[in-house]
Amino acid sequence: ASARETLVGRSPAAQRLRELVTRAAGSPASVLLVGESGSGKALLARTIHALSERARRPFVAVDCAALDDPALEARLFGGIGVHGTAEPGVLEEATGGSLLLHNVAAASPTVQARLARVLRERTMVLPRSG
């Protein structure tokens, strides 16, 4: 089954959802999926990824609520590892692919602002080793 076929339903709303997913997959824009827990946001994100030109690149998911701020910042943006070398974060790992961030509201305002800036500018300063 194709990625589009994973979305079931024949109602006008289901057809409209498939149209929106197809449009999102064809766009280089960031996509914001909003809904209740368990409503299928992750399925939609994976479907958009699978239908897009990004499908050959990584799909990376992070639950922001599962990490405290220092760990979340390191996971997102990378940091300097125990051996003094730069370790990439998921923003770098997902380059050219897709990144799904669950529960962004659980992150501190500082982390949210930094993330918003990276998404807006589509660039970030990587940590230096040394």
Side-chain angles (χ1 to χ4, degrees), residues 67-83:
L67 303 168
D68 64 17
D69 269 2
L72 179 58
E73 279 202 87
R75 183 76 179 114
L76 291 173
F77 305 106
I80 303 301
V82 294
H83 300 292

Side-chain angles (χ1 to χ4, degrees), residues 79-88 127-130:
I80 303 301
V82 294
H83 300 292
T85 58
E87 293 183 358
R128 294 184 216 213
S129 59

Side-chain angles (χ1 to χ4, degrees), residues 20-34:
L20 289 171
V21 164
T22 300
R23 280 184 50 205
S27 171
S30 297
V31 176
L32 174 64
L33 301 171
V34 180

Side-chain angles (χ1 to χ4, degrees), residues 73-74 76-78 91 108-120 123-127:
E73 279 202 87
L76 291 173
F77 305 106
L91 289 166
S108 72
T110 302
V111 172
Q112 289 183 39
R114 187 170 176 200
L115 181 60
R117 182 176 180 189
V118 168
L119 294 174
R120 183 179 56 250
T123 187
M124 67 178 194
V125 176
L126 299 173

Side-chain angles (χ1 to χ4, degrees), residues 5-80:
E5 292 170 348
T6 62
L7 302 177
V8 298
R10 295 185 182 164
S11 70
Q15 291 173 7
R16 178 73 176 132
L17 180 60
R18 277 193 289 282
E19 291 171 12
L20 289 171
V21 164
T22 300
R23 280 184 50 205
S27 171
S30 297
V31 176
L32 174 64
L33 301 171
V34 180
E36 297 294 320
S37 180
S39 63
K41 297 180 298 292
L43 172 66
L44 290 177
R46 288 185 183 282
T47 302
I48 291 167
H49 175 77
L51 293 173
S52 74
E53 292 182 10
R54 297 176 299 278
R56 295 181 309 276
R57 302 289 299 157
F59 179 93
V60 181
V62 175
D63 184 351
C64 298
L67 303 168
D68 64 17
D69 269 2
L72 179 58
E73 279 202 87
R75 183 76 179 114
L76 291 173
F77 305 106
I80 303 301

